[in-house]
Amino acid sequence: EIVLTQSPTTMAASPGEKVTITCRASSSVSYMHWFQQKSGTSPKPWIYDTSKLASGVPDRFSGSGSGTSYSLTISSMEAEDAATYYCLQRSSYPPTWTFGGGTKLELK
Amino acid sequence: EVQLVESGGGLVQPGRSLKLSCAASGFTFSNYYMAWVRQAPKKGLEWVATISTSGSRTYYPDSVKGRFTISRDNAKSSLYLQMNSLKSEDTATYYCARQVMPTGWFAYWGQGTLVTVSS
């Protein structure tokens, strides 16, 4: 089973600041998915297949990575980006899915 | 528009059972793998179960294997989660989600239904 470790656990960023959230896998994987969740709401699909933005996601967001290290980057923080972000990976067989522990991003 | 609407949550005593439902609309239900994902209060997300398009294959994490059963009725565009031998640690909001294989990307989510296991 793959274990996903996100860092940092919490962080605060000022408007306009660049933000990077990292997800590290316990073994090499070929992709990573990301979700955004705001308090009291359902998670939203955010980035899939490492770098593809889900529908409606602003292009200030990007995803990258390979092997055991993946990241979600916001080029310029905006107030609406304050949320918790989770990464997700699938183990091969039998299929199981594991989420990272989450990164809470706050507005400074 | 894709819609997933969960129901069936509530307060249940430890050791008892509960069945959740998810009504799907806006897409051809029988073409997609479906899943349940839960979130304990103030905690992160945990995948709970996945079912194949026909229902012939099901997958669970060890934390619920043997206690939870996922099923579907393609004629009714409905997904179910039968939860037996409930424990306090099963207290969570349960989300229904549509998956995109082969990676299992959770592309659509419902609004969730809260299950509270307490005496």
Side-chain angles (χ1 to χ4, degrees):
Chain A
E1 178 184 323
I2 294 173
V3 176
L4 300 179
T5 303
Q6 289 185 232
S7 60
T9 305
T10 62
M11 67 176 298
S14 302
E17 184 177 346
K18 182 178 181 179
V19 172
T20 299
I21 297 170
T22 298
C23 181
R24 287 196 164 78
S26 57
S27 58
S28 184
V29 296
S30 55
Y31 61 87
M32 192 63 66
H33 304 314
W34 295 88
F35 298 84
Q36 181 199 66
Q37 186 179 33
K38 295 188 177 182
S39 181
T41 68
S42 305
K44 290 182 179 178
W46 211 246
I47 297 174
Y48 65 102
D49 295 351
T50 301
S51 60
K52 299 173 183 175
L53 302 185
S55 177
V57 175
D59 61 7
R60 61 180 177 274
F61 284 86
S62 63
S64 63
S66 64
T68 61
S69 183
Y70 291 78
S71 61
L72 178 155
T73 299
I74 307 172
S75 60
S76 179
M77 175 77 179
E78 296 195 10
E80 67 177 12
D81 302 335
T84 300
Y85 294 86
Y86 295 93
C87 55
L88 170 73
Q89 174 58 230
R90 169 189 163 169
S91 297
S92 292
Y93 198 83
T96 60
W97 284 268
T98 304
F99 288 93
T103 294
K104 185 175 183 179
L105 172 62
E106 298 175 323
L107 183 67
K108 194 183 294 182
Chain B
E1 178 193 5
V2 172
Q3 286 201 328
L4 300 169
V5 180
E6 303 92 337
S7 61
L11 176 63
V12 61
Q13 294 179 327
R16 304 297 292 264
S17 299
L18 197 65
K19 186 172 185 177
L20 305 182
S21 299
C22 171
S25 61
F27 65 101
T28 304
F29 182 73
S30 59
N31 286 352
Y32 291 91
Y33 276 57
M34 296 295 296
W36 290 95
V37 177
R38 70 182 179 184
Q39 186 170 36
K42 307 294 186 185
K43 299 294 185 182
L45 300 169
E46 180 186 17
W47 166 72
V48 171
T50 286
I51 188 166
S52 64
T53 53
S54 66
S56 61
R57 293 184 296 275
T58 57
Y59 308 100
Y60 308 91
D62 289 343
S63 58
V64 307
K65 195 175 295 182
R67 298 189 301 122
F68 288 12
T69 302
I70 188 172
S71 62
R72 65 192 297 160
D73 185 335
N74 285 342
K76 295 182 177 180
S77 295
S78 292
L79 179 72
Y80 306 101
L81 185 68
Q82 176 68 46
M83 304 184 293
N84 298 333
S85 303
L86 282 162
K87 307 174 183 180
S88 58
E89 52 262 43
D90 295 319
T91 294
T93 295
Y94 286 74
Y95 297 101
C96 166
R98 191 183 95 176
Q99 291 191 266
V100 178
M101 302 305 273
T103 65
W105 162 241
F106 298 110
Y108 291 92
W109 298 64
Q111 84 289 348
T113 187
L114 178 62
V115 173
T116 302
V117 184
S118 175
S119 54

